[in-house]
Amino acid sequence: MPLRLTRRLLPHPLLTLLLVVVWCLLNNSLTLGTIVFGTILGLLIPILTAAYWPDRPPVARPFGMVVYCLIVIWDIIKSNITVAMQILFRGNDSLQPAWITVPLDLRKPEAITILAGSITLTPGTLSADLSADGTALLVHALHAPDPDAVRDDIKARYESRLKEIFA
């Protein structure tokens, strides 16, 4: 099958796969009918929305995205426990909230969006604003006794990986 035809039928192969998996999870069943209908949706939705995605961002390391997602999921689980412990067993007086400016080395809008979303998904942190020139992200942390450490952690755990993925 020529590459051009493949790109027309599968403009976003990872999105197709994701839609099939999400459809099966939403139906909470793994029957032939669910998989077939999920595949139909997974093929049609990317084709119908391809015009709205004219420039797909090049992903240099697709496996790196899987590792990144696992790291974010792990951080979400850890942060849920940490925030629950802070709320249940510490008083509000012991919390040290902080606004932190994270300078960005990322320049691709997709990578910055994923970074901001990852920060917001992690309990205890929230990405609040992006500078007009896209070089800094304003983050609120629920408890940050050392704001510089939070900034460095965001840059080391998330931003450096996203730079490799979207290189």
Side-chain angles (χ1 to χ4, degrees):
M1 191 183 310
L3 183 63
R4 185 178 227 175
L5 181 60
T6 304
R7 286 195 181 237
R8 290 189 92 194
L9 293 177
L10 285 169
H12 304 285
L14 292 176
L15 178 61
T16 299
L17 179 64
L18 180 68
L19 287 170
V20 172
V21 170
V22 167
W23 182 256
C24 290
L25 289 172
L26 284 172
N27 282 292
N28 200 22
S29 68
L30 196 60
T31 63
L32 181 61
T34 305
I35 294 171
V36 169
F37 192 70
T39 304
I40 292 169
L41 288 175
L43 291 171
L44 286 179
I45 290 172
I47 290 171
L48 295 173
T49 61
Y52 302 108
W53 302 35
D55 301 321
R56 289 190 296 183
V59 176
R61 297 181 53 215
F63 181 72
M65 186 60 86
V66 172
V67 172
Y68 179 81
C69 288
L70 292 174
I71 288 169
V72 171
I73 289 169
W74 174 250
D75 287 348
I76 290 170
I77 292 168
K78 271 187 0 186
S79 295
N80 267 305
I81 294 167
T82 303
V83 170
M85 297 302 232
Q86 286 174 344
I87 291 171
L88 292 174
F89 300 115
R90 299 174 112 190
N92 287 344
D93 298 337
S94 66
L95 291 178
Q96 297 175 359
W99 289 100
I100 304 162
T101 302
V102 179
L104 297 177
D105 297 327
L106 296 171
R107 292 294 170 251
K108 296 189 177 170
E110 297 84 6
I112 293 171
T113 302
I114 291 172
L115 175 64
S118 300
I119 291 168
T120 300
L121 282 172
T122 308
T125 55
L126 173 73
S127 54
D129 196 15
L130 178 66
S131 65
D133 59 356
T135 59
L137 192 62
L138 182 64
V139 175
H140 182 269
L142 179 65
H143 183 63
D146 184 9
D148 292 336
V150 173
R151 181 199 63 222
D152 295 342
D153 192 40
I154 289 171
K155 290 189 75 59
R157 281 188 77 73
Y158 299 145
E159 187 184 31
S160 64
R161 286 180 171 86
L162 287 172
K163 279 174 53 177
E164 291 175 9
I165 292 168
F166 288 98

PDB file of all heavy atoms in Angstrom, residues 9 11-12 15-16 19-20 23 37-53:
ATOM      1  N   LEU A   9      -5.762   7.002   4.999  1.00  0.00           N
ATOM      2  CA  LEU A   9      -6.617   6.099   5.768  1.00  0.00           C
ATOM      3  C   LEU A   9      -6.291   6.115   7.257  1.00  0.00           C
ATOM      4  O   LEU A   9      -7.166   5.923   8.093  1.00  0.00           O
ATOM      5  CB  LEU A   9      -6.502   4.672   5.235  1.00  0.00           C
ATOM      6  CG  LEU A   9      -7.055   4.438   3.835  1.00  0.00           C
ATOM      7  CD1 LEU A   9      -6.804   3.008   3.395  1.00  0.00           C
ATOM      8  CD2 LEU A   9      -8.540   4.767   3.785  1.00  0.00           C
ATOM      9  N   PRO A  11      -4.479   8.830   9.251  1.00  0.00           N
ATOM     10  CA  PRO A  11      -3.736  10.076   9.423  1.00  0.00           C
ATOM     11  C   PRO A  11      -3.067  10.181  10.793  1.00  0.00           C
ATOM     12  O   PRO A  11      -2.035  10.820  10.933  1.00  0.00           O
ATOM     13  CB  PRO A  11      -4.792  11.168   9.233  1.00  0.00           C
ATOM     14  CG  PRO A  11      -6.092  10.497   9.438  1.00  0.00           C
ATOM     15  CD  PRO A  11      -5.902   9.063   9.099  1.00  0.00           C
ATOM     16  N   HIS A  12      -3.652   9.537  11.790  1.00  0.00           N
ATOM     17  CA  HIS A  12      -3.109   9.559  13.153  1.00  0.00           C
ATOM     18  C   HIS A  12      -3.220   8.151  13.744  1.00  0.00           C
ATOM     19  O   HIS A  12      -4.163   7.856  14.478  1.00  0.00           O
ATOM     20  CB  HIS A  12      -3.867  10.563  14.027  1.00  0.00           C
ATOM     21  CG  HIS A  12      -3.890  11.936  13.473  1.00  0.00           C
ATOM     22  ND1 HIS A  12      -2.794  12.766  13.509  1.00  0.00           N
ATOM     23  CD2 HIS A  12      -4.852  12.633  12.839  1.00  0.00           C
ATOM     24  CE1 HIS A  12      -3.098  13.913  12.928  1.00  0.00           C
ATOM     25  NE2 HIS A  12      -4.337  13.859  12.515  1.00  0.00           N
ATOM     26  N   LEU A  15      -3.688   7.834  17.515  1.00  0.00           N
ATOM     27  CA  LEU A  15      -5.018   8.279  17.922  1.00  0.00           C
ATOM     28  C   LEU A  15      -6.047   7.188  17.620  1.00  0.00           C
ATOM     29  O   LEU A  15      -6.956   6.948  18.412  1.00  0.00           O
ATOM     30  CB  LEU A  15      -5.399   9.578  17.208  1.00  0.00           C
ATOM     31  CG  LEU A  15      -6.795  10.130  17.503  1.00  0.00           C
ATOM     32  CD1 LEU A  15      -6.949  10.443  18.988  1.00  0.00           C
ATOM     33  CD2 LEU A  15      -7.059  11.365  16.660  1.00  0.00           C
ATOM     34  N   THR A  16      -5.903   6.518  16.490  1.00  0.00           N
ATOM     35  CA  THR A  16      -6.809   5.421  16.143  1.00  0.00           C
ATOM     36  C   THR A  16      -6.740   4.325  17.203  1.00  0.00           C
ATOM     37  O   THR A  16      -7.776   3.866  17.704  1.00  0.00           O
ATOM     38  CB  THR A  16      -6.447   4.842  14.760  1.00  0.00           C
ATOM     39  OG1 THR A  16      -6.592   5.870  13.776  1.00  0.00           O
ATOM     40  CG2 THR A  16      -7.328   3.664  14.398  1.00  0.00           C
ATOM     41  N   LEU A  19      -8.329   5.549  20.452  1.00  0.00           N
ATOM     42  CA  LEU A  19      -9.791   5.580  20.390  1.00  0.00           C
ATOM     43  C   LEU A  19     -10.397   4.184  20.529  1.00  0.00           C
ATOM     44  O   LEU A  19     -11.426   4.014  21.186  1.00  0.00           O
ATOM     45  CB  LEU A  19     -10.254   6.234  19.088  1.00  0.00           C
ATOM     46  CG  LEU A  19     -10.062   7.746  19.005  1.00  0.00           C
ATOM     47  CD1 LEU A  19     -10.323   8.235  17.589  1.00  0.00           C
ATOM     48  CD2 LEU A  19     -10.949   8.463  19.985  1.00  0.00           C
ATOM     49  N   VAL A  20      -9.769   3.181  19.940  1.00  0.00           N
ATOM     50  CA  VAL A  20     -10.258   1.806  20.069  1.00  0.00           C
ATOM     51  C   VAL A  20     -10.170   1.366  21.529  1.00  0.00           C
ATOM     52  O   VAL A  20     -11.134   0.818  22.083  1.00  0.00           O
ATOM     53  CB  VAL A  20      -9.467   0.843  19.151  1.00  0.00           C
ATOM     54  CG1 VAL A  20      -9.839  -0.600  19.433  1.00  0.00           C
ATOM     55  CG2 VAL A  20      -9.703   1.183  17.685  1.00  0.00           C
ATOM     56  N   TRP A  23     -12.724   3.251  23.656  1.00  0.00           N
ATOM     57  CA  TRP A  23     -14.075   2.757  23.395  1.00  0.00           C
ATOM     58  C   TRP A  23     -14.336   1.447  24.146  1.00  0.00           C
ATOM     59  O   TRP A  23     -15.384   1.258  24.752  1.00  0.00           O
ATOM     60  CB  TRP A  23     -14.311   2.574  21.896  1.00  0.00           C
ATOM     61  CG  TRP A  23     -15.701   2.109  21.596  1.00  0.00           C
ATOM     62  CD1 TRP A  23     -16.096   0.856  21.241  1.00  0.00           C
ATOM     63  CD2 TRP A  23     -16.894   2.888  21.667  1.00  0.00           C
ATOM     64  NE1 TRP A  23     -17.449   0.812  21.083  1.00  0.00           N
ATOM     65  CE2 TRP A  23     -17.971   2.057  21.339  1.00  0.00           C
ATOM     66  CE3 TRP A  23     -17.149   4.222  21.974  1.00  0.00           C
ATOM     67  CZ2 TRP A  23     -19.282   2.498  21.316  1.00  0.00           C
ATOM     68  CZ3 TRP A  23     -18.451   4.670  21.943  1.00  0.00           C
ATOM     69  CH2 TRP A  23     -19.509   3.812  21.629  1.00  0.00           C
ATOM     70  N   PHE A  37     -16.661  -1.952  16.392  1.00  0.00           N
ATOM     71  CA  PHE A  37     -17.211  -0.597  16.389  1.00  0.00           C
ATOM     72  C   PHE A  37     -16.168   0.417  16.842  1.00  0.00           C
ATOM     73  O   PHE A  37     -16.088   1.517  16.294  1.00  0.00           O
ATOM     74  CB  PHE A  37     -18.462  -0.517  17.273  1.00  0.00           C
ATOM     75  CG  PHE A  37     -19.222   0.756  17.065  1.00  0.00           C
ATOM     76  CD1 PHE A  37     -19.910   0.999  15.890  1.00  0.00           C
ATOM     77  CD2 PHE A  37     -19.240   1.738  18.045  1.00  0.00           C
ATOM     78  CE1 PHE A  37     -20.594   2.183  15.682  1.00  0.00           C
ATOM     79  CE2 PHE A  37     -19.930   2.927  17.851  1.00  0.00           C
ATOM     80  CZ  PHE A  37     -20.606   3.144  16.666  1.00  0.00           C
ATOM     81  N   GLY A  38     -15.343   0.045  17.820  1.00  0.00           N
ATOM     82  CA  GLY A  38     -14.259   0.925  18.250  1.00  0.00           C
ATOM     83  C   GLY A  38     -13.273   1.186  17.130  1.00  0.00           C
ATOM     84  O   GLY A  38     -12.774   2.297  16.963  1.00  0.00           O
ATOM     85  N   THR A  39     -13.003   0.152  16.331  1.00  0.00           N
ATOM     86  CA  THR A  39     -12.100   0.312  15.191  1.00  0.00           C
ATOM     87  C   THR A  39     -12.710   1.226  14.139  1.00  0.00           C
ATOM     88  O   THR A  39     -12.010   2.061  13.550  1.00  0.00           O
ATOM     89  CB  THR A  39     -11.763  -1.066  14.582  1.00  0.00           C
ATOM     90  OG1 THR A  39     -11.208  -1.899  15.601  1.00  0.00           O
ATOM     91  CG2 THR A  39     -10.797  -0.950  13.432  1.00  0.00           C
ATOM     92  N   ILE A  40     -14.002   1.071  13.900  1.00  0.00           N
ATOM     93  CA  ILE A  40     -14.681   1.965  12.940  1.00  0.00           C
ATOM     94  C   ILE A  40     -14.572   3.405  13.414  1.00  0.00           C
ATOM     95  O   ILE A  40     -14.224   4.303  12.632  1.00  0.00           O
ATOM     96  CB  ILE A  40     -16.155   1.538  12.744  1.00  0.00           C
ATOM     97  CG1 ILE A  40     -16.219   0.191  12.012  1.00  0.00           C
ATOM     98  CG2 ILE A  40     -16.945   2.599  11.994  1.00  0.00           C
ATOM     99  CD1 ILE A  40     -17.592  -0.442  12.000  1.00  0.00           C
ATOM    100  N   LEU A  41     -14.868   3.637  14.701  1.00  0.00           N
ATOM    101  CA  LEU A  41     -14.730   4.991  15.244  1.00  0.00           C
ATOM    102  C   LEU A  41     -13.280   5.463  15.178  1.00  0.00           C
ATOM    103  O   LEU A  41     -13.008   6.616  14.833  1.00  0.00           O
ATOM    104  CB  LEU A  41     -15.219   5.040  16.693  1.00  0.00           C
ATOM    105  CG  LEU A  41     -16.713   4.942  16.925  1.00  0.00           C
ATOM    106  CD1 LEU A  41     -17.006   4.889  18.421  1.00  0.00           C
ATOM    107  CD2 LEU A  41     -17.440   6.102  16.278  1.00  0.00           C
ATOM    108  N   GLY A  42     -12.357   4.557  15.508  1.00  0.00           N
ATOM    109  CA  GLY A  42     -10.941   4.899  15.493  1.00  0.00           C
ATOM    110  C   GLY A  42     -10.422   5.238  14.107  1.00  0.00           C
ATOM    111  O   GLY A  42      -9.443   5.970  13.972  1.00  0.00           O
ATOM    112  N   LEU A  43     -11.057   4.705  13.074  1.00  0.00           N
ATOM    113  CA  LEU A  43     -10.662   5.047  11.708  1.00  0.00           C
ATOM    114  C   LEU A  43     -11.367   6.304  11.213  1.00  0.00           C
ATOM    115  O   LEU A  43     -10.761   7.149  10.542  1.00  0.00           O
ATOM    116  CB  LEU A  43     -10.957   3.875  10.769  1.00  0.00           C
ATOM    117  CG  LEU A  43     -10.096   2.625  10.957  1.00  0.00           C
ATOM    118  CD1 LEU A  43     -10.625   1.486  10.118  1.00  0.00           C
ATOM    119  CD2 LEU A  43      -8.646   2.927  10.627  1.00  0.00           C
ATOM    120  N   LEU A  44     -12.661   6.442  11.519  1.00  0.00           N
ATOM    121  CA  LEU A  44     -13.431   7.572  10.992  1.00  0.00           C
ATOM    122  C   LEU A  44     -13.107   8.906  11.663  1.00  0.00           C
ATOM    123  O   LEU A  44     -12.991   9.932  10.982  1.00  0.00           O
ATOM    124  CB  LEU A  44     -14.929   7.295  11.126  1.00  0.00           C
ATOM    125  CG  LEU A  44     -15.510   6.290  10.144  1.00  0.00           C
ATOM    126  CD1 LEU A  44     -16.997   6.081  10.405  1.00  0.00           C
ATOM    127  CD2 LEU A  44     -15.279   6.743   8.712  1.00  0.00           C
ATOM    128  N   ILE A  45     -12.990   8.916  12.968  1.00  0.00           N
ATOM    129  CA  ILE A  45     -12.777  10.188  13.674  1.00  0.00           C
ATOM    130  C   ILE A  45     -11.488  10.880  13.224  1.00  0.00           C
ATOM    131  O   ILE A  45     -11.512  12.070  12.899  1.00  0.00           O
ATOM    132  CB  ILE A  45     -12.836   9.986  15.199  1.00  0.00           C
ATOM    133  CG1 ILE A  45     -14.282   9.665  15.613  1.00  0.00           C
ATOM    134  CG2 ILE A  45     -12.322  11.209  15.942  1.00  0.00           C
ATOM    135  CD1 ILE A  45     -14.457   9.266  17.059  1.00  0.00           C
ATOM    136  N   PRO A  46     -10.350  10.192  13.155  1.00  0.00           N
ATOM    137  CA  PRO A  46      -9.149  10.882  12.650  1.00  0.00           C
ATOM    138  C   PRO A  46      -9.269  11.339  11.202  1.00  0.00           C
ATOM    139  O   PRO A  46      -8.747  12.396  10.835  1.00  0.00           O
ATOM    140  CB  PRO A  46      -8.041   9.836  12.806  1.00  0.00           C
ATOM    141  CG  PRO A  46      -8.518   8.945  13.891  1.00  0.00           C
ATOM    142  CD  PRO A  46     -10.008   8.879  13.708  1.00  0.00           C
ATOM    143  N   ILE A  47      -9.958  10.564  10.360  1.00  0.00           N
ATOM    144  CA  ILE A  47     -10.120  10.978   8.962  1.00  0.00           C
ATOM    145  C   ILE A  47     -10.980  12.237   8.880  1.00  0.00           C
ATOM    146  O   ILE A  47     -10.664  13.179   8.157  1.00  0.00           O
ATOM    147  CB  ILE A  47     -10.733   9.834   8.118  1.00  0.00           C
ATOM    148  CG1 ILE A  47      -9.712   8.706   7.956  1.00  0.00           C
ATOM    149  CG2 ILE A  47     -11.199  10.339   6.760  1.00  0.00           C
ATOM    150  CD1 ILE A  47     -10.261   7.442   7.339  1.00  0.00           C
ATOM    151  N   LEU A  48     -12.083  12.260   9.645  1.00  0.00           N
ATOM    152  CA  LEU A  48     -12.980  13.420   9.614  1.00  0.00           C
ATOM    153  C   LEU A  48     -12.365  14.664  10.246  1.00  0.00           C
ATOM    154  O   LEU A  48     -12.741  15.784   9.900  1.00  0.00           O
ATOM    155  CB  LEU A  48     -14.300  13.078  10.302  1.00  0.00           C
ATOM    156  CG  LEU A  48     -15.141  11.993   9.617  1.00  0.00           C
ATOM    157  CD1 LEU A  48     -16.339  11.625  10.474  1.00  0.00           C
ATOM    158  CD2 LEU A  48     -15.569  12.451   8.238  1.00  0.00           C
ATOM    159  N   THR A  49     -11.439  14.490  11.165  1.00  0.00           N
ATOM    160  CA  THR A  49     -10.833  15.655  11.830  1.00  0.00           C
ATOM    161  C   THR A  49      -9.441  15.976  11.295  1.00  0.00           C
ATOM    162  O   THR A  49      -8.783  16.878  11.815  1.00  0.00           O
ATOM    163  CB  THR A  49     -10.750  15.424  13.356  1.00  0.00           C
ATOM    164  OG1 THR A  49      -9.928  14.281  13.614  1.00  0.00           O
ATOM    165  CG2 THR A  49     -12.120  15.233  13.963  1.00  0.00           C
ATOM    166  N   ALA A  50      -8.972  15.259  10.281  1.00  0.00           N
ATOM    167  CA  ALA A  50      -7.619  15.471   9.752  1.00  0.00           C
ATOM    168  C   ALA A  50      -7.407  16.885   9.241  1.00  0.00           C
ATOM    169  O   ALA A  50      -6.301  17.424   9.348  1.00  0.00           O
ATOM    170  CB  ALA A  50      -7.321  14.464   8.645  1.00  0.00           C
ATOM    171  N   ALA A  51      -8.442  17.509   8.727  1.00  0.00           N
ATOM    172  CA  ALA A  51      -8.297  18.880   8.210  1.00  0.00           C
ATOM    173  C   ALA A  51      -7.962  19.871   9.310  1.00  0.00           C
ATOM    174  O   ALA A  51      -7.371  20.930   9.057  1.00  0.00           O
ATOM    175  CB  ALA A  51      -9.579  19.300   7.508  1.00  0.00           C
ATOM    176  N   TYR A  52      -8.321  19.554  10.526  1.00  0.00           N
ATOM    177  CA  TYR A  52      -8.043  20.452  11.649  1.00  0.00           C
ATOM    178  C   TYR A  52      -6.660  20.230  12.242  1.00  0.00           C
ATOM    179  O   TYR A  52      -6.269  20.929  13.170  1.00  0.00           O
ATOM    180  CB  TYR A  52      -9.106  20.267  12.751  1.00  0.00           C
ATOM    181  CG  TYR A  52     -10.497  20.516  12.233  1.00  0.00           C
ATOM    182  CD1 TYR A  52     -11.379  19.463  12.043  1.00  0.00           C
ATOM    183  CD2 TYR A  52     -10.914  21.799  11.908  1.00  0.00           C
ATOM    184  CE1 TYR A  52     -12.653  19.688  11.557  1.00  0.00           C
ATOM    185  CE2 TYR A  52     -12.176  22.030  11.411  1.00  0.00           C
ATOM    186  CZ  TYR A  52     -13.043  20.973  11.239  1.00  0.00           C
ATOM    187  OH  TYR A  52     -14.302  21.196  10.755  1.00  0.00           O
ATOM    188  N   TRP A  53      -5.921  19.262  11.738  1.00  0.00           N
ATOM    189  CA  TRP A  53      -4.576  18.940  12.208  1.00  0.00           C
ATOM    190  C   TRP A  53      -3.602  19.023  11.034  1.00  0.00           C
ATOM    191  O   TRP A  53      -2.993  18.028  10.661  1.00  0.00           O
ATOM    192  CB  TRP A  53      -4.522  17.521  12.745  1.00  0.00           C
ATOM    193  CG  TRP A  53      -5.446  17.180  13.848  1.00  0.00           C
ATOM    194  CD1 TRP A  53      -6.708  17.628  14.042  1.00  0.00           C
ATOM    195  CD2 TRP A  53      -5.182  16.301  14.918  1.00  0.00           C
ATOM    196  NE1 TRP A  53      -7.234  17.072  15.161  1.00  0.00           N
ATOM    197  CE2 TRP A  53      -6.324  16.248  15.719  1.00  0.00           C
ATOM    198  CE3 TRP A  53      -4.088  15.533  15.283  1.00  0.00           C
ATOM    199  CZ2 TRP A  53      -6.406  15.480  16.858  1.00  0.00           C
ATOM    200  CZ3 TRP A  53      -4.167  14.756  16.412  1.00  0.00           C
ATOM    201  CH2 TRP A  53      -5.313  14.748  17.186  1.00  0.00           C
TER     202      TRP A  53
END
